[in-house]
Amino acid sequence: MKTLLRLNFLKNRALIFATLGMHAFVALLAPYLRLSSTDSQDSAALLQGPSLNHWLGTDSLGRDVFSRLLHGGRPSLVIAFAATAISCLIGIVIGSVAALAGGWIDDALSRVIDFMLALPTLILLLLISSFFGQDPLILSVALGLMYASPIARVARSATQTLLARDFIRVARLQGGSRISILFGEVMPNVWRVMFTEVAMQFTWILLAFSSLSFLGLGASPPTPEWGLMIAESRSYMTLNPLLVIAPIMMLASLVLAIQALVDHE
Amino acid sequence: MITTLTQSQILGFSNVTVRIKNEARDSRPILEAIDLQLERGETLGIVGGSGSGKSTLLRLAAGVLAPGLVLDQGEVTTVGKNLLVATQAERSNIYGSVVALVAQSIGESLTPHLTVLSHFSDTVSGDVVDERVLESLAEVGLGGEKYLYRYPHQLSGGERQRVLLALALVRSPQLLLLDEPTSALDVSIGSEVLTTIDRLQRSRGFALICVSHDLGVVSQISKRIAVMNQGRIVELGQTSQVLRSPSHEYTKALVSSIPKLDQRIRESGSQNNETVLVCRGLGIVRGQTTRAIDSLDLEIKRGEVLGIIGESGSGKSSLLSAICGLVSVTSGSLHDGDGYDLSTALQMRPREVLSSIQMVFQNPDDSLNPMRTVAQSLSRYTQATNSEVSSALLSVGLGEQFLTRRPREMSGGEKQRAAIARALLAKPRLLLLDEVTSALDVTVQAAVMKTLADLQRKLNIAMIIVSHDIALVASFVDRILVLRHGQLVEQGSVDAVTNSPRDSYTRNLLDISARRATI
């Protein structure tokens, strides 16, 4: 029992990096691997189990599940990266400006952050995507805006802590301007503190986009995407459980590996 | 196997070596070949610099080894037991009733949401609570029921330390372990706490180990002293013997590094009549209403070194902050030598006024940007060239190799030297030093002060040095100022203040300092 407990997968560095490496490899190189087409339908082979031709079987339209699975992370990852970058940019700028300016500017920005935090993210995303369609750019910007507020809040308090530190005082005594102190002293250190928060945000955005796809408002068919794959196949779960289990495993392993890495650092 | 202690012994270390887990065998261990026995009722002080292994040794005596450390060889026996392999049940029996440890950080050792009484209810059970608690609180000098229902934030630093002491002693342990019992306290309060500990030890007769970086502290309450350096006990003997005729090189350096009232580190230099700072009727209010400084008059000449002494809350840091512009002046006037009004906000000051007053802060870990190299930190705002940075570093005793180092690769003393070099690069006429050596080991402190003395003579700049250590200040400055509750209670030349102090607080500080020097 004790040895079993010691096999704590989330603390196994090699395993974390192997999982992340596998995901990076697949996401970057899936189009260049000699896989079956993700879209070609084989009406003679619907909902088949694993075979030599189709390693994980086929879905309800006779498409190769393995190939779709390897391609399925790309749309969510692209959007998650873009949205995280946007939320970081907005969040860190708002947060550190609020802390640096203080006074009524801080109050005003903090209330905006509070307001954003109070919005129900998923419902708002559903609204946006039903109004503006499933354009990846709009979705990235919307996700980026939605998820900027927690980053802004952490950035604000990180900046406040930093401002009380002596090396910032010395910079002021030696004539550093607010801007040069912000970018030269505060930002690099805020970024170091923010890494954890940002990595966690990335996983939340990844999950949010997959949830949208699952609800039919993220990636649009026939794009291979994990959330969408789960939605499309859940009626056939009993015929070929791999149809649902495989994309779930991919999504879960990626999210867990990122979170475990963050815990580790 | 357990090393047998004689009937009279309470603690035994035999050939104990502790290493960092998974570290190479040839690397320096945390503790190396420690042999140490403690008799019942005996008092032992352990003194050493940071990283000497003294705290590890103390924790080991309580059977605790920090995570990441392993006992490489040897045995630790506390009252006949090897506590390192004791079961949880055995430990909880022993802790409190046989061995008690008072950890260093008084700020974190009490639970914020529990009253003093609640802290005791875990240790003492049943109906006897109130009586026993009152009794032990009274013993540490916190008599009366009023303390029972106070929360930690309603206690002063000294009172917290006393509560911790009472908690440790309530189950009458045979061995009391103290880790830096006074390092977070003001000198006068620390001294009172030590007197209490000494009195309790004499009346109860428990054995005591006290760890401190301060030779003065351990010598006040222990008959024997162990001097530690780099994981080894380099000298062990009777306190008076060790202090009077130290035999090991490190002990000699340690003893000679302690600032003494009658021993100058710096000779008074040439002063001229050029004024660098004048303040008249200065008042500073912090927060809403707290008066940090109240109607203070002060004048400093070029090349003069002024020392300010005061306990925490006396307003000494506020004064420095106001002079350099980090805190705004509430009333009175503050001008530099050219008549520039220093009560203007920092952002409004012209560059040459800004550079003319520089400050070095207390905490070495906080004074350099952790993300930058020393060269970057030193040149970023001073616009100094590479060669200027190198020569400034050289003048504070740091070689070229430090240019590319980051703060995490430097010791506290090195970081503080770099911070001094950075202040000097701005070519100040007045340098403010806020407890710059209080976080450093005594030997390092002596070296940094020596460097400062050399620089002051060479550059002939004015300095204001703030410290809680009257001996350090007296050995360095030309003139002393004593602050209490924001008011000037004493002012004069070093000789005048140390020989015939007028204020009772100054007399008290001098007494404590003298007592330490003569032990």
Side-chain angles (χ1 to χ4, degrees):
Chain A
M1 191 60 199
K2 218 170 178 182
T3 35
L4 253 181
L5 281 175
R6 255 187 225 153
L7 273 178
N8 193 338
F9 292 119
L10 292 180
K11 284 190 182 154
N12 189 328
R13 228 184 149 77
L15 191 73
I16 294 170
F17 280 108
T19 312
L20 287 175
M22 184 270 287
H23 274 286
F25 176 80
V26 167
L28 290 172
L29 299 179
Y32 309 104
L33 300 176
R34 302 175 70 187
L35 299 165
S36 340
S37 159
T38 52
D39 301 333
S40 69
Q41 306 179 2
D42 184 356
S43 48
L46 303 180
L47 294 170
Q48 286 187 340
S51 66
L52 271 180
N53 280 338
H54 304 290
W55 290 3
L56 293 176
T58 57
D59 66 5
S60 60
L61 297 173
R63 296 175 296 194
D64 182 55
V65 173
F66 184 66
S67 174
R68 289 179 70 75
L69 192 71
L70 297 198
H71 283 82
R74 292 166 60 88
S76 1
L77 282 171
V78 168
I79 289 197
F81 270 117
T84 310
I86 294 170
S87 67
C88 270
L89 195 72
I90 300 173
I92 294 186
V93 168
I94 291 186
S96 40
V97 165
L100 210 59
W104 66 270
I105 300 180
D106 183 18
D107 283 344
L109 288 175
S110 298
R111 293 300 82 74
V112 172
I113 296 171
D114 289 346
F115 174 73
M116 297 289 282
L117 279 170
L119 294 175
T121 317
L122 204 57
I123 295 176
L124 216 65
L125 283 172
L126 287 175
L127 275 176
I128 290 172
S129 114
S130 48
F131 269 116
F132 298 102
Q134 283 140 283
D135 181 28
L137 187 70
I138 291 178
L139 278 176
S140 309
V141 174
L143 278 164
L145 281 172
M146 297 277 127
Y147 283 86
S149 38
I151 294 201
R153 207 170 48 166
V154 179
R156 178 174 169 273
S157 64
T159 311
Q160 273 180 337
T161 319
L162 270 168
L163 287 181
R165 293 186 61 179
D166 294 339
F167 63 85
I168 304 275
R169 293 198 179 123
V170 171
R172 291 177 61 199
L173 287 184
Q174 300 203 326
S177 67
R178 276 178 189 241
I179 297 289
S180 71
I181 291 176
L182 177 65
F183 287 101
E185 314 292 331
V186 178
M187 284 296 184
N189 285 292
V190 168
W191 177 245
R192 208 173 57 148
V193 181
M194 295 296 295
F195 170 77
T196 312
E197 182 67 20
V198 169
M200 295 303 269
Q201 274 313 332
F202 178 81
T203 62
W204 299 135
I205 294 177
L206 197 69
L207 285 173
F209 180 72
S210 292
S211 314
L212 273 185
S213 300
F214 178 82
L215 296 171
L217 292 162
S220 44
T223 319
E225 202 281 333
W226 295 330
L228 191 59
M229 285 171 73
I230 300 169
E232 284 170 342
S233 334
R234 61 195 160 141
S235 337
Y236 313 106
M237 205 154 55
T238 44
L239 294 170
N240 184 2
L242 275 176
L243 285 179
V244 176
I245 293 173
I248 290 178
M249 289 297 285
M250 290 296 273
L251 196 56
S253 63
L254 180 56
V255 168
L256 280 178
I258 294 173
Q259 299 196 344
L261 178 76
V262 169
D263 277 352
H264 221 86
E265 292 305 315
Chain B
M1 190 193 93
I2 286 176
T3 329
T4 42
L5 298 174
T6 61
Q7 202 59 41
S8 65
Q9 286 174 341
I10 191 159
L11 180 75
F13 280 68
S14 72
N15 198 23
V16 171
T17 299
V18 169
R19 287 176 187 281
I20 296 175
K21 211 181 248 174
N22 305 327
E23 203 164 81
R25 296 236 124 227
D26 50 355
S27 62
R28 187 176 70 76
I30 301 295
L31 289 179
E32 193 173 0
I34 301 287
D35 269 307
L36 187 67
Q37 276 80 37
L38 193 71
E39 302 283 318
R40 284 175 192 276
E42 195 192 8
T43 52
L44 173 74
I46 301 179
V47 71
S50 49
S52 61
K54 56 191 193 304
S55 288
T56 308
L57 192 149
L58 189 77
R59 283 185 161 57
L60 206 53
V64 185
L65 203 50
L69 297 184
V70 282
L71 184 65
D72 195 49
Q73 60 175 23
E75 279 124 31
V76 184
T77 317
T78 314
V79 278
K81 277 205 169 58
N82 181 350
L83 285 186
L84 279 177
V85 297
T87 64
Q88 198 57 45
E90 281 176 312
R91 277 169 187 241
S92 38
N93 245 335
I94 288 170
Y95 286 155
S97 62
V98 183
V99 183
L101 174 80
V102 179
Q104 177 172 6
S105 166
I106 51 166
E108 289 160 24
S109 300
L110 292 171
T111 315
H113 72 277
L114 293 183
T115 58
V116 169
L117 181 61
S118 325
H119 276 94
F120 281 91
S121 5
D122 282 345
T123 355
V124 192
S125 53
D127 308 326
V128 285
V129 177
D130 290 3
E131 272 167 53
R132 285 276 297 281
V133 172
L134 276 176
E135 199 179 302
S136 58
L137 280 175
E139 260 191 316
V140 296
L142 300 177
E145 284 190 24
K146 63 175 181 175
Y147 287 102
L148 283 182
Y149 303 102
R150 288 210 183 158
Y151 289 92
H153 71 268
Q154 295 168 314
L155 301 170
S156 69
E159 286 167 349
R160 276 185 225 171
Q161 188 64 289
R162 284 168 194 273
V163 168
L164 288 175
L165 203 57
L167 272 168
L169 292 176
V170 71
R171 286 171 72 190
S172 313
Q174 299 163 32
L175 173 62
L176 181 68
L177 307 170
L178 298 169
D179 195 358
E180 299 275 6
T182 61
S183 66
L185 305 175
D186 280 325
V187 184
S188 54
I189 295 167
S191 172
E192 286 163 17
V193 169
L194 288 180
T195 312
T196 307
I197 295 172
D198 193 38
R199 176 171 51 77
L200 285 171
Q201 196 278 328
R202 281 168 205 278
S203 63
R204 295 234 206 145
F206 50 77
L208 174 90
I209 302 184
C210 173
V211 156
S212 177
H213 67 283
D214 189 338
L215 204 48
V217 168
V218 291
S219 55
Q220 197 174 334
I221 53 171
S222 35
K223 292 212 175 55
R224 258 200 322 163
I225 277 190
V227 180
M228 290 191 72
N229 186 28
Q230 306 206 324
R232 286 170 164 276
I233 293 180
V234 294
E235 188 153 355
L236 178 67
Q238 296 299 314
T239 301
S240 50
Q241 179 72 27
V242 171
L243 286 178
R244 210 174 305 125
S245 47
S247 60
H248 191 272
E249 282 309 311
Y250 180 76
T251 320
K252 282 180 193 162
L254 197 66
V255 172
S256 67
S257 298
I258 298 172
K260 289 165 197 76
L261 279 170
D262 49 0
Q263 226 174 61
R264 299 281 300 173
I265 309 175
R266 175 189 149 266
E267 289 315 313
S268 299
S270 60
Q271 288 172 30
N272 51 27
N273 274 334
E274 188 191 337
T275 317
V276 291
L277 186 85
V278 190
C279 72
R280 293 273 172 262
L282 184 73
I284 304 166
V285 176
R286 301 292 292 262
Q288 294 298 318
T289 51
T290 319
R291 281 214 156 270
I293 288 289
D294 207 3
S295 57
L296 182 84
D297 293 334
L298 186 68
E299 201 175 313
I300 300 169
K301 300 258 189 292
R302 186 182 163 83
E304 188 185 16
V305 179
L306 178 72
I308 299 181
I309 298 196
E311 55 196 0
S312 46
S314 62
K316 53 194 198 309
S317 291
S318 296
L319 178 62
L320 290 196
S321 299
I323 292 174
C324 67
L326 289 169
V327 166
S328 53
V329 171
T330 320
S331 58
S333 73
L334 184 64
H335 290 93
D336 74 358
D338 303 328
Y340 184 85
D341 185 4
L342 290 174
S343 56
T344 39
L346 196 64
Q347 303 88 284
M348 312 302 280
R349 292 188 185 183
R351 209 183 163 82
E352 55 281 12
V353 175
L354 273 178
S355 329
S356 71
I357 302 175
Q358 290 294 311
M359 181 156 166
V360 181
F361 293 87
Q362 176 175 12
N363 185 352
D365 299 326
D366 220 29
S367 59
L368 297 171
N369 188 338
M371 303 293 280
R372 292 191 180 281
T373 63
V374 169
Q376 286 170 338
S377 278
L378 265 61
S379 62
R380 187 169 163 85
Y381 298 103
T382 53
Q383 264 107 39
T385 60
N386 275 344
S387 61
E388 283 174 325
V389 170
S390 316
S391 65
L393 281 179
L394 211 59
S395 73
V396 294
L398 298 179
E400 295 246 318
Q401 72 273 25
F402 283 93
L403 283 171
T404 52
R405 293 225 183 136
R406 282 173 208 280
R408 63 167 179 276
E409 299 156 340
M410 296 160 70
S411 71
E414 288 162 355
K415 281 186 257 196
Q416 216 54 325
R417 284 168 186 273
I420 293 167
R422 177 178 51 188
L424 292 176
L425 277 171
K427 303 193 178 63
R429 283 191 290 174
L430 174 62
L431 184 62
L432 311 174
L433 303 162
D434 188 5
E435 300 267 14
V436 281
T437 57
S438 66
L440 307 177
D441 289 336
V442 204
T443 46
V444 183
Q445 164 175 290
V448 171
M449 292 313 288
K450 175 90 179 49
T451 306
L452 279 171
D454 292 344
L455 287 168
Q456 201 279 332
R457 198 179 49 235
K458 213 166 67 189
L459 305 169
N460 198 30
I461 52 177
M463 288 184 178
I464 301 183
I465 172 164
V466 153
S467 175
H468 61 278
D469 187 342
I470 197 166
L472 177 75
V473 167
S475 63
F476 191 82
V477 305
D478 303 314
R479 196 148 59 92
I480 293 183
L481 226 86
V482 183
L483 283 180
R484 197 166 194 204
H485 304 312
Q487 284 178 328
L488 189 65
V489 293
E490 182 122 18
Q491 164 163 229
S493 69
V494 173
D495 286 341
V497 172
T498 52
N499 293 336
S500 50
R502 283 178 305 159
D503 186 71
S504 61
Y505 174 65
T506 322
R507 269 199 294 277
N508 188 18
L509 282 181
L510 287 167
D511 281 349
I512 295 166
S513 185
R515 206 156 55 219
R516 285 196 183 164
T518 51
I519 286 170

